[in-house]
Amino acid sequence: MKADRRTFLGVGAGAVAAAGAGAAYAFREPALPQGALLGADLERGHRLRKGGFPAPTMFDDAGIVIAGGGVAGLAAGWVLNEAGYRDFRLLELEDVAGGNARSGRNAVSAYPLGAHYLPIANVEARALHKLLTRLGIITGEQDGLPVYDPQQLCADLQERLFWRGRWHEGLVPTTGLTAEDQRQLVGFGAEMAAFSAATGSDGRPAFATPIAYSSGDAQWRSLDRIGFGQWLDERGYTSPVLRAHVRYATRDDYGTEPEDVSAWAGIHYFAGRRGHAAGDAGDNVLTWPGGNGRLTQAMAAAFPDNIATGRIVHAIERQGDGAFHVDHFDVGEGVTYRTRAAAVIAAMPLFVAKRICAELPDTAACSYAPWLVANITVSRLPGGAGVPLAWDNVSTTSESLGYVVATHQSRALGAESVLSWYLPLSNMTPANGRRLLLERPADEWKRIVRDDLLAMHPDMADAITGIELWRWGHAMARPVPGYVWGAAKTFAPEPPLYLAHSDLSGLSIFEEAHYHGTRAAEAAMARIGHAHEALT
């Protein structure tokens, strides 16, 4: 979900979604709608954990192997392909590449299974600017600023908030605030604006996106060593409205409670994005019915012959001559291939990379947030008292992050649609959240999702025709204190082995994954002597 980083949201601490909610509907419960409980392929993931793959019987060669087909792996492949380097192979465990930016589709609409928008890129994100230009999303330049295709910018109404029984435009309640709430909200906003404008002694922004371009000054990076909750306490930010907004923000991007997020990461949420665009587009976002699947599908379409899906990479071993053996099990054929490669880009979560490549350091510092995503098909669009339906719809009475409307960019009033609903399981340990995702039956999850939507829209009970559930056990890295500028920077293997994943930033956002995939591909090409344009 997108929280407005310029203003502030009061989100109640109710546990509607987490607790099952919907007591008002208990005596007249309709039949649960159709829909499956799906997610990343558990059988393949668990097989990787257990091992016992057959010895290689098929052998081939590639200049560069990319292990993993999420955003980072696809970005690496895109960069290689753009540079005219064709001797590479991308191996993906799932049947479809895209990682947590994948999308689904039904008869009504495409819809996101995870990430669903991309903010307008910062000026420092040169590689991302080039990708967006090549995809026709940036269409030109005006007064030195990129021009974005207006059809791909989020249309009005962008956001609304369910507050005290009515829907209000934006994500900030304007009624029912105490004078102290207002004072702290204004003070916090001013402090975040100052962080956003700050530069270090090295001339770099204090908080950049991608974060690799951030200042190295200790005064900023030391904030990574303490929790965001502690930082708020020390600054006297005690307003329940402000603290609820901060909780929404850290759960929004990190799937994690503010007390478990480093202060640097918490501040980055508000200060790290400064959209660089012509007109008033800088504060907008890019969004599509299938979310960021629009981007991953476009990257994959540029080099389909280089992608092999259904491949479980289970060993990456450096050889005495400096080359690598990459062993990968073909799920369809039931055989193991061994690919000899001059360079390897391991574009997978670090805990997985460590499992298949013994030379990598310990990954105990890595932790991952579990999420549930539900795509709710409805026969008509929700309404409600107050302002009309927006793209992003958030309730102050829910433990969920609300829903986005997949058909927002082209919807017609009264038409069928899909509502993409998000719940980070942050109010428990990640291990317990993963266990809950596995153990709670589909019907119980459907009931939770349905009742959460009905708490916002009681008149929609007869309009819900389907609920597709998608669980992410390891959806994103958690930027806990000490990780972003500490533990994450210890993962630097000897070339020509390169890592490429947003885990290396600790912020699981498209810009970070794209940066690391681009950087790894450029480093690999430099190593083997292939000419290319350096953008990182």
Side-chain angles (χ1 to χ4, degrees):
M1 299 296 290
K2 171 186 169 288
D4 191 329
R5 290 164 170 83
R6 296 163 297 160
T7 48
F8 307 103
L9 165 66
V11 178
V16 173
Y25 308 102
F27 299 106
R28 50 186 176 87
E29 181 178 47
L32 290 168
Q34 62 182 359
L37 174 58
L38 303 171
D41 196 304
L42 293 173
E43 182 178 347
R44 295 179 192 177
H46 291 166
R47 179 158 190 182
L48 174 61
R49 185 173 64 188
K50 290 187 295 185
F53 293 96
T57 55
M58 306 292 288
F59 301 87
D60 56 16
D61 296 272
I64 299 173
V65 166
I66 304 169
V71 172
L74 290 171
W78 171 277
V79 170
L80 295 175
N81 190 64
E82 285 283 293
Y85 186 85
R86 308 285 189 256
D87 186 20
F88 72 92
R89 180 87 56 83
L90 188 154
L91 306 171
E92 165 58 29
L93 179 144
E94 301 282 343
D95 291 331
V96 178
N100 65 11
R102 287 169 58 183
S103 62
R105 175 178 288 276
N106 62 17
V108 174
S109 176
Y111 48 77
L113 298 175
H116 60 273
Y117 74 97
L118 177 67
I120 297 302
N122 283 17
V123 65
E124 59 265 23
R126 294 174 57 228
L128 182 54
H129 276 267
K130 182 170 183 179
L131 172 68
L132 297 177
T133 299
R134 291 283 286 119
L135 295 181
I137 297 169
I138 293 176
T139 60
E141 188 175 291
Q142 179 181 320
D143 300 326
L145 297 171
V147 176
Y148 282 79
D149 177 4
Q151 298 301 311
Q152 303 186 64
L153 292 168
C154 186
D156 286 335
L157 187 67
Q158 292 182 31
E159 302 150 338
R160 69 173 180 170
L161 174 70
F162 190 62
W163 170 254
R164 298 196 167 191
R166 292 180 62 84
W167 291 97
H168 301 261
E169 183 173 357
L171 294 179
V172 183
T174 57
T175 61
L177 303 179
T178 68
E180 182 61 15
D181 289 333
Q182 294 173 337
R183 185 191 71 79
Q184 291 192 30
L185 290 169
V186 169
F188 181 81
E191 196 157 8
M192 294 302 106
F195 279 127
S196 182
T199 56
S201 60
D202 49 12
R204 292 186 168 196
F207 296 86
T209 304
I211 70 169
Y213 301 119
S214 299
S215 172
D217 285 4
Q219 65 172 316
W220 313 120
R221 294 197 177 182
S222 63
L223 291 166
D224 187 49
R225 296 197 292 269
I226 64 171
F228 197 22
Q230 177 185 338
W231 184 87
L232 291 165
D233 290 341
E234 292 174 353
R235 303 294 294 168
Y237 291 123
T238 58
S239 161
V241 175
L242 172 59
R243 294 300 284 255
H245 165 64
V246 168
R247 180 175 185 251
Y248 179 94
T250 60
R251 296 174 77 229
D252 170 33
D253 262 17
Y254 311 138
T256 306
E257 300 290 327
E259 291 73 22
D260 297 323
V261 166
S262 85
W264 194 95
I267 293 168
H268 184 276
Y269 180 94
F270 300 97
R273 283 170 168 162
R274 294 170 295 280
H276 180 67
D280 60 357
D283 289 326
N284 207 331
V285 300
L286 297 157
T287 188
W288 307 271
N292 288 0
R294 158 74 170 85
L295 301 171
T296 57
Q297 290 163 16
M299 286 192 286
F303 50 93
D305 294 340
N306 300 81
I307 299 174
T309 58
R311 300 296 180 100
I312 306 176
V313 178
H314 55 90
I316 298 174
E317 295 182 352
R318 191 187 302 264
Q319 304 304 299
D321 60 359
F324 284 88
H325 284 170
V326 180
D327 291 350
H328 45 106
F329 180 73
D330 186 313
V331 174
E333 295 181 5
V335 300
T336 295
Y337 283 74
R338 171 166 290 172
T339 301
R340 180 178 173 84
V344 174
I345 298 173
M348 57 187 68
L350 293 178
F351 81 99
V352 178
K354 172 60 178 176
R355 188 179 300 279
I356 65 179
C357 186
E359 70 178 74
L360 294 178
D362 183 75
T363 59
C366 301
S367 64
Y368 298 86
W371 285 68
L372 181 77
V373 179
N375 280 285
I376 311 166
T377 303
V378 291
S379 60
R380 64 177 183 274
L381 291 166
V387 300
L389 185 67
W391 167 67
D392 186 357
N393 303 267
V394 178
S395 173
T396 60
T397 65
S398 176
E399 185 76 359
S400 78
L401 298 180
Y403 62 89
V404 296
V405 181
T407 58
H408 176 75
Q409 298 296 82
S410 60
R411 74 180 188 272
L413 291 176
E416 292 179 285
S417 190
V418 177
L419 311 179
S420 300
W421 178 98
Y422 293 84
L423 177 67
L425 301 177
S426 60
N427 60 353
M428 60 191 75
T429 66
N432 284 342
R434 282 187 282 276
R435 188 175 301 111
L436 185 63
L437 284 176
L438 289 174
E439 294 177 355
R440 178 171 280 173
D443 281 354
E444 188 172 343
W445 280 123
K446 287 182 189 178
R447 187 173 292 108
I448 288 169
V449 174
R450 181 201 62 192
D451 291 352
D452 189 53
L453 182 66
L454 294 182
M456 292 180 268
H457 305 288
D459 63 328
M460 293 290 288
D462 64 340
I464 300 172
T465 61
I467 298 178
E468 295 289 341
L469 304 164
W470 194 272
R471 54 191 174 192
W472 292 104
H474 298 82
M476 56 178 58
R478 301 169 70 240
V480 298
Y483 183 81
V484 173
W485 295 112
K489 304 311 170 191
T490 65
F491 300 101
E494 186 71 22
L497 173 62
Y498 307 94
L499 297 178
H501 198 273
S502 60
D503 283 7
L504 298 168
S505 295
L507 311 184
S508 183
I509 55 179
F510 187 94
E511 301 96 318
E512 298 299 330
H514 180 265
Y515 167 81
H516 286 294
T518 302
R519 172 199 49 75
E522 291 179 353
M525 286 189 290
R527 176 81 177 195
I528 63 179
H530 185 83
H532 63 281
E533 178 186 8
L535 294 173
T536 61

